[in-house]
């Protein structure tokens, strides 16, 4: 009897890229729910526009490059980019800005470099950073979260989100519904020579755990991230290093100057900390290669974010920290090649 | 026992051993014909010493091992040599010169098959030579001649013999079966091998998912009471049984890259090889048969079979109840490193530890795989036992960048297939690396050829130059003499 032949190994685990990507989307669910409860349904609108734009941009890019679009659209990777961008931008952003950011993320962040697996930068962060420097006002205007005393009802929030999505001018109708994020308020408060304890005592900036609103989202993102680690979609190196890189210096600085420097709890549970540590920095394509390299990469992101939050021009520094460390990846990779079995280090 | 010693990285895999391991070893009835490949898996062939038409007995030497990487081949069946020709064979190159023997019912045994009477009196060197003559080769999968390995070990002064009973690859369980049923043979063979290698001690390593084998070997060691012989239980992590990984696990040293285990003071042999050595010592039998696992969803009754070397695989499968379902692949070896064979008419080789008849149930994951671009997730690097970065190797292989490939350690890849196994992009990594290794070897061979040619060219030039100089000197001396006809001594004393 005759048989076909094929190369070993003949059995594989059967992991697939779509499986990885959809697990990531699934793990974002708790953070998404917290987001909607605290900041209104704006996130859902942003998600919708981001996903549609991302799929269209991906299909268009593949067509231009003369590739078959169907498998790439099904692998879910472009949806992860859309989700991460939608989670990063304010839920009140007019739809065309969300669309613009997503299109830039997919085209400029991914396809100019050759598509899946080739991009040196995290696509979602490319889109985010361009939006942030080009539209600083829109990109820093958030709804007042529901857990701030005296905030309006959720249905009011929903109406505002929809209006804002279509580009209504919020100052006429909804003045006082929007504001800066907690990190933003603290930054401007400190610049006005308030002390940190005074700012935190105000009650509209921070709660018991961290920033108003964002504390819960961070907690939910942490839960989703732990799930990904449990499912071995994400390995521990990058999240642990990001958190270490951010929290260790903030612990020291807070110990030295508690009047001005944010403590580790506040740092961990405000802004995009957990989202970055578990979902954004862990994008494997743009991260360092080896486990040891990923520790340096993650620690660099955490540290840069701390520096930008402390002294930089932007209240949250994660997007730029990620992009800067993306830039450093070839350098890190060069010096963190693992020792090969049987060879001297 | 506390934390068990192991090697870095690797992965615990589904063992799939229950299919074949429940039943005792079955003896294959003598087949009507055997096909003896003269390349037994190393790429080097023995040279025939019989001719077509010659009658042979069981145990008659039919091919002599001229090269140290070839092993002597003996008739595993009494009968007549009916063909010596190149055929399809279960070896890496796919073809080998084969000696085909048609059996007659005489069952005659060659006169040379006699118990080794003077075993204790043999020096290590003599022992090594006798094992070479007996055609003893590694039964663990590589088929490397045992004598050659032992000789290296003696030359480099190896202190430890590691007996490999890890059997880490899914589906294979012939060593397990052998250890359970013939632990005394394994232990006796271990002692003989230790003496032949002049090693101080011998460690038998078994994975912890084989409690019955561990118990059998433990009591065999107790019966023998030899201080130099110990048992090491290692975790069932793939590829624990890979030579280098096992040495790291049980001896705690690494084999230097590009070196031999003996460079680290260790020599590794398979437990089944040890049992074959015991067979040879007690009965004088050269390597005529082996135990092989016949398994997979494509055979009716999976199990372990003792069969003559050269027995057609079809006969082994028939003895296991024949094919069932739709067999899609016939694999020599296990699911991770086994080689898919094109035909079941090839003969059993010494290095074949498993015949895996796979259906879609077994190998669907690979058949249905769709390759997409690498997403650099790093899962491959996380499991690579050689400490390589397969994702970088893949890029370099794609670019055919030879220097980068060398730098990234392509030659240190042990071809275990784990990177393939975990890759979510389902890339055929191990196969790309095999290809790249072949290209690298070809490039090296070309470079060598060019260097040789240059050298030859250089030699010729030098010779021409030398000839020219000599001519010149002769000319000058003649001229000098012509000038000074009276002074003879000047030229000679120079
Ligand atoms: S496992 Fe596959 S996808 Fe992941 S880095 Fe390795 S080659 Fe790339
Ligand atoms: S096949 Fe080679 S590269 Fe892949 S895991 Fe095994 S040793 Fe590493």
């Amino acid at each position: 009897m005759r048989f076909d032949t094929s190369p070993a190994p003949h059995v594989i685990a059967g992991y697939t890229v779509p499986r990885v990507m959809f697990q990531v989307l699934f793990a974002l669910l708790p953070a998404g729910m917290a987001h909607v409860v605290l900041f209104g349904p704006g996130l859902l609108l942003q998600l919708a526009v981001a996903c549609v734009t991302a799929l269209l941009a991906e299909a268009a890019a593949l067509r231009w490059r003369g590739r078959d679009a169907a498998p790439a659209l099904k692998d879910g990777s472009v949806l992860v980019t859309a989700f991460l961008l939608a989670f990063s931008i304010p839920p009140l952003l007019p739809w065309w800005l969300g669309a613009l950011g997503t299109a830039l993320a997919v085209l400029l962040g991914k396809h100019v470099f050759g598509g899946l697996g080739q991009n040196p930068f995290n696509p979602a962060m490319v889109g985010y950073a361009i939006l942030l420097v080009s539209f600083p006002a829109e990109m820093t205007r958030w709804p007042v979260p529901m857990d701030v005393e005296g905030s309006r009802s959720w249905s009011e929030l929903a109406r505002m989100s929809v209006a804002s999505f279509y580009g209504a001018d919020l100052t006429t109708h909804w003045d006082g519904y929007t504001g800066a994020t907690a990190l933003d308020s603290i930054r401007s408060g400190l610049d006005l020579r308030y002390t940190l304890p005074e700012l935190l005592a105000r009650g509209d900036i921070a709660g018991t755990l961290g920033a108003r609103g964002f504390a819960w989202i961070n907690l939910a993102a942490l839960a989703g991230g732990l799930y990904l680690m449990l499912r071995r979609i994400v390995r521990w190196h990058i999240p642990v290093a990001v958190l270490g890189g951010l929290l260790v210096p903030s612990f020291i600085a807070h110990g030295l100057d508690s009047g001005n420097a944010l403590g580790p709890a506040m740092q961990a549970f405000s802004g995009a900390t957990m989202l970055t540590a578990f979902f954004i920095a862990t994008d494997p394509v743009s991260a360092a290669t080896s486990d040891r390299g990923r520790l340096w990469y993650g620690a660099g992101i955490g540290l840069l974010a701390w520096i930008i939050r402390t002294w930089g021009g932007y209240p949250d520094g994660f997007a730029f920290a990620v992009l800067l460390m993306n830039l450093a990846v070839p350098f890190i990779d060069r010096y963190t090649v693992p020792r090969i079995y049987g060879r001297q280090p | 026992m506390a934390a068990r010693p192991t090697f870095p990285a690797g992965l615990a895999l589904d063992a799939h051993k229950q299919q074949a391991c429940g039943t005792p070893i079955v003896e294959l009835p003598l087949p009507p014909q055997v096909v003896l490949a003269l390349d037994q898996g190393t790429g080097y062939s023995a040279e025939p010493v019989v001719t077509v038409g010659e009658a042979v007995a069981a145990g008659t030497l039919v091919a002599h091992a001229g090269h140290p990487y070839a092993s002597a081949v003996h008739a595993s069946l009494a009968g007549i040599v009916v063909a010596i020709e190149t055929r399809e064979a279960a070896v890496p190159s796919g073809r080998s010169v084969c000696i085909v023997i048609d059996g007659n019912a005489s069952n005659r045994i060659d006169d040379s098959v006699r118990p080794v009477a003077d075993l204790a009196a043999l020096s290590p060197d003599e022992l090594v030579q006798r094992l070479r003559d007996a055609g003893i080769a590694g039964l663990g999968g590589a088929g490397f001649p045992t004598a050659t390995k032992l000789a290296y070990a003696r030359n480099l002064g190896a202190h430890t013999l590691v007996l490999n009973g890890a059997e880490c690859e899914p589906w294979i369980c012939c060593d397990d079966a052998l250890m359970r049923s013939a632990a005394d043979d394994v232990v006796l063979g271990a002692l003989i091998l230790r003496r032949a290698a002049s090693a101080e001690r011998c460690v038998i390593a078994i994975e912890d998912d084989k409690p019955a084998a561990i118990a059998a070997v433990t009591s065999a060691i107790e019966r023998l009471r030899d201080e130099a012989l110990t048992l090491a239980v290692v975790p069932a992590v793939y590829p624990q049984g890979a030579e280098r990984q096992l040495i790291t696990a049980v001896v705690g040293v690494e084999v230097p890259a590009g070196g031999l285990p003996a460079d680290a003071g260790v020599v590794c042999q398979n437990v089944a090889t040890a049992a074959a050595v015991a067979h040879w010592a007690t009965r004088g039998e050269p390597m005529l048969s082996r135990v092989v696992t016949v398994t997979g969803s494509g055979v009716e009754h999976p199990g372990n079979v003792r069969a003559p070397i050269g027995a057609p695989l079809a006969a082994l499968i028939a003895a296991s109840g024949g094919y069932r379902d739709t067999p899609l692949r016939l694999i020599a070896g296990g699911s991770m490193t086994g080689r898919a064979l094109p035909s079941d008419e090839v003969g059993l080789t010494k290095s074949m530890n498993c015949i895996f008849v796979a259906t879609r149930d077994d190998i669907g994951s690979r058949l249905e795989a769709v390759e997409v671009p690498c997403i650099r997730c790093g899962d491959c690097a996380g499991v690579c036992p050689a400490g390589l970065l397969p994702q970088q190797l893949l890029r370099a292989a794609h670019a055919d960048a030879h220097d980068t490939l060398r730098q990234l350690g392509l030659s240190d890849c042990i071809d275990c297939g784990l990177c393939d196994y975990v890759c979510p992009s389902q890339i055929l990594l191990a196969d790309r690396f095999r290809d790249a290794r072949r290209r690298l070897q070809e490039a090296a061979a070309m470079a060598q050829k060019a260097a040789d040619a240059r050298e030859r060219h250089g030699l010729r030039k030098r010779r021409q130059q030398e000839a020219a100089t000599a001519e010149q000197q002769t000319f000058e001396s003649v001229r000098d003499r012509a000038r000074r006809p009276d002074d003879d001594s000047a030229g000679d004393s120079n």
Side-chain angles (χ1 to χ4, degrees):
Chain A
M1 191 159 142
R2 295 204 64 86
F3 290 87
D4 288 341
T5 61
S6 53
H10 304 281
V11 174
I12 56 176
Y15 304 142
T16 60
V17 172
R19 169 180 172 270
V20 172
M21 297 300 170
F22 287 107
Q23 290 277 348
V24 171
L25 297 185
F26 179 71
L28 279 169
L29 216 63
M33 291 197 309
H35 204 294
V36 170
V37 168
L38 289 155
F39 289 108
L43 172 72
L44 302 179
L45 301 171
Q46 303 300 337
L47 276 175
V49 71
C51 287
V52 171
T53 314
L55 289 171
L56 288 175
E58 177 95 352
L62 287 165
R63 173 154 298 196
W64 283 329
R65 292 172 52 211
R67 305 284 168 88
D68 186 10
L73 292 179
K74 274 186 269 175
D75 74 21
S77 65
V78 78
L79 289 182
V80 170
T81 298
F83 265 60
L84 293 178
L85 183 65
F87 268 81
S88 306
I89 57 183
L92 297 180
L93 214 58
W95 68 267
W96 57 85
L97 285 186
L100 176 68
T102 315
L104 289 173
V106 174
L107 300 176
L108 218 56
K110 183 174 175 185
H111 281 284
V112 295
F113 297 107
L116 181 65
Q118 304 295 320
N119 45 298
F121 298 103
N122 184 311
M125 291 301 100
V126 170
Y128 177 85
I130 298 176
L131 286 181
L132 184 59
V133 291
S134 317
F135 305 93
E138 287 85 348
M139 284 293 285
T140 48
R141 186 174 56 202
W142 283 69
V144 174
M146 292 290 291
D147 61 344
V148 170
E149 199 112 1
S151 68
R152 312 299 160 95
S153 69
W154 195 84
S155 51
E156 238 351 67
L157 207 55
R159 270 199 292 285
M160 174 173 75
S161 302
V162 175
S164 180
F165 186 68
Y166 289 112
D169 181 7
L170 297 181
T171 45
T172 52
H173 236 83
W174 279 285
D175 203 21
Y177 277 58
T178 66
T181 64
L183 283 173
D184 227 344
S185 310
I186 292 173
R187 167 48 80 72
S188 38
L190 290 174
D191 287 347
L192 295 171
R193 306 204 168 272
Y194 289 99
T195 66
L196 192 57
E198 280 167 351
L199 292 168
L200 296 182
R202 257 168 52 184
D204 62 334
I205 294 178
T208 41
L209 180 60
R212 285 282 178 207
F214 287 96
W216 298 108
I217 296 178
N218 271 288
L219 212 59
L222 173 64
L226 291 178
Y227 165 80
L228 285 183
M229 282 194 352
L230 222 67
R231 297 302 306 268
R232 294 184 171 239
I233 301 286
V234 160
R235 285 181 302 149
W236 61 270
H237 307 80
I238 292 177
V240 167
V242 169
L243 293 178
L246 174 70
L247 301 186
V248 170
S250 63
F251 179 79
I252 297 170
H254 187 67
L256 295 176
D257 182 7
S258 60
N260 285 300
L262 287 177
M266 193 63 200
Q267 291 278 17
F269 294 101
S270 62
T273 305
M274 295 298 172
L275 195 69
T276 307
F278 289 94
F279 293 89
I280 296 174
T282 49
D283 162 39
V285 175
S286 54
T289 302
S290 68
D291 288 347
R292 200 154 51 91
R294 287 181 174 188
L295 286 175
W296 287 110
Y297 171 78
I301 291 175
L303 183 67
L304 280 175
W306 178 76
I307 290 172
I308 298 172
R309 277 183 179 185
T310 308
W311 294 293
Y314 293 92
D316 198 351
F318 270 118
F320 294 107
V322 168
L323 292 172
L324 282 170
M325 288 313 289
N326 287 163
L327 214 57
V329 159
F331 178 77
I332 296 176
D333 277 354
R334 204 186 166 123
Y335 290 100
T336 52
V337 178
R339 190 182 69 82
I340 296 172
Y341 177 100
R343 289 201 191 183
Q344 296 305 317
Chain B
M1 195 179 273
R4 290 184 165 140
T6 186
F7 63 99
L11 193 69
L13 302 177
D14 280 345
H16 290 289
K17 308 221 181 197
Q18 64 282 6
Q19 280 89 340
C21 234
T23 49
I25 297 174
V26 177
E27 199 76 40
L28 183 78
L30 279 185
Q33 188 183 66
V34 291
V35 183
L36 296 161
L38 299 188
D39 170 4
Q40 284 287 321
T42 61
Y44 293 85
S45 295
E47 297 130 24
V49 294
V50 290
T51 48
V52 175
E54 202 171 319
V56 291
T60 304
L61 180 77
V62 296
H64 158 82
H67 193 279
Y69 291 0
S71 62
V73 179
H74 300 77
S76 53
L77 187 67
I80 308 282
V81 176
V82 293
I84 301 178
E85 62 192 15
T86 303
R87 287 194 178 190
E88 225 161 30
V91 294
S93 69
R95 299 182 78 73
S96 165
V97 175
C98 297
I99 296 181
V100 186
I101 299 171
D102 271 354
N104 53 27
S106 74
N107 284 349
R108 193 162 64 82
I109 292 176
D110 198 271
D111 297 339
S112 64
V113 179
R114 268 178 271 122
V116 184
D118 50 353
L119 187 65
L122 291 177
S123 74
D125 278 333
E126 286 165 340
L127 256 178
V128 169
Q129 186 54 46
R130 299 282 285 268
L131 292 174
R132 188 186 304 285
D133 294 343
I136 309 277
L139 294 179
F144 200 77
T146 299
T148 302
K149 249 183 170 182
L150 293 171
Y152 286 156
R154 277 172 49 71
N155 286 344
L156 293 166
H159 48 72
T160 305
L161 166 68
V162 172
L163 219 54
N164 189 346
E167 200 165 56
C168 61
E169 190 160 347
W171 296 95
I172 310 174
C173 60
C174 54
D175 290 352
D176 186 11
L178 191 70
M179 287 189 286
R180 282 184 300 169
S181 64
D184 287 318
D185 281 353
V186 171
V187 172
L188 175 63
L191 290 180
I192 299 171
L193 283 169
R194 182 181 76 84
R195 201 153 67 76
S198 306
E200 289 151 30
R201 63 193 190 112
C202 170
V203 187
I204 304 180
I206 307 177
E207 276 191 351
D208 58 7
D209 63 347
K210 304 176 184 60
I214 292 169
V217 171
T218 306
S219 51
I221 291 177
E222 274 165 12
R223 277 195 292 280
L224 216 73
R225 288 196 202 183
D226 192 309
E227 308 266 284
L229 199 59
T230 51
L231 175 75
V233 178
V234 291
V237 179
Y238 181 83
Q240 189 72 263
E243 190 168 73
R244 281 154 200 257
Q245 278 55 42
L246 190 67
I247 287 170
T248 301
V250 296
V251 190
V253 294
E254 283 189 5
V255 179
L260 294 169
D263 291 321
V266 186
V267 54
C268 210
Q269 289 291 339
N270 182 267
V271 286
T273 313
V277 169
H279 252 227
W280 163 78
T282 51
R283 299 196 221 151
E285 207 180 277
M287 192 165 268
L288 299 183
S289 69
R290 68 158 299 145
V291 180
V292 53
T293 302
V294 182
T295 188
S297 304
V299 283
E300 200 61 55
H301 305 299
N304 290 294
V305 182
R306 179 173 280 283
I309 305 299
L313 302 191
L316 278 138
I317 289 155
S320 306
Y323 292 111
R324 65 175 284 277
D325 207 348
T326 315
L328 295 176
R329 294 283 185 282
L330 178 69
I331 296 164
S335 59
M336 294 299 289
T337 64
R339 198 171 39 249
L341 302 175
S343 156
D344 63 2
E345 274 152 34
V346 298
L348 180 70
T349 60
K350 294 177 185 178
S351 58
M352 201 186 295
N353 48 11
C354 182
I355 299 165
F356 173 29
V357 186
T359 65
R360 186 163 288 274
D361 287 347
D362 304 327
I363 55 170
S365 57
R366 176 96 269 177
L367 296 176
E368 278 142 32
V370 182
E371 189 170 321
V372 300
C374 165
I375 56 167
R376 289 175 37 86
C377 66
D379 288 356
C380 49
V383 293
C384 176
L388 306 178
L389 294 169
Q391 69 273 54
Q392 308 283 77
L393 275 171
L394 178 70
R395 265 194 203 199
H398 197 250
D400 208 16
H402 289 190
D403 285 338
T404 317
L405 283 170
R406 267 188 287 269
Q407 215 168 39
L408 288 169
L410 180 65
S411 60
D412 299 295
C413 165
I414 60 167
D415 203 12
C416 68
L418 260 191
C419 46
D420 268 54
Y421 186 82
V422 297
C423 176
S425 294
Q426 309 198 323
I427 302 169
L428 289 163
L429 292 159
D431 199 47
R432 301 271 163 84
F433 300 159
R434 258 169 247 144
D435 256 11
R437 256 196 312 273
R438 215 197 45 239
R439 285 201 304 270
L440 225 57
Q441 275 159 8
E442 280 167 10
M446 293 269 281
Q448 186 60 45
K449 243 192 198 156
D452 286 353
R454 258 202 312 281
E455 192 165 329
R456 273 200 302 280
H457 180 67
L459 271 179
R460 203 171 62 223
K461 258 204 153 146
R462 206 158 24 192
R463 268 201 304 276
Q464 280 167 355
Q465 243 158 31
E466 272 163 15
T469 337
E471 216 168 290
Q472 183 76 19
Q473 276 169 358
T474 327
F475 169 73
E476 277 170 8
S477 68
V478 169
R479 192 184 55 195
D480 284 356
R481 279 177 209 201
R483 260 191 221 140
R484 293 174 285 165
D486 46 340
D487 186 0
D488 261 300
S489 58
D492 291 344
S493 63
N494 273 343

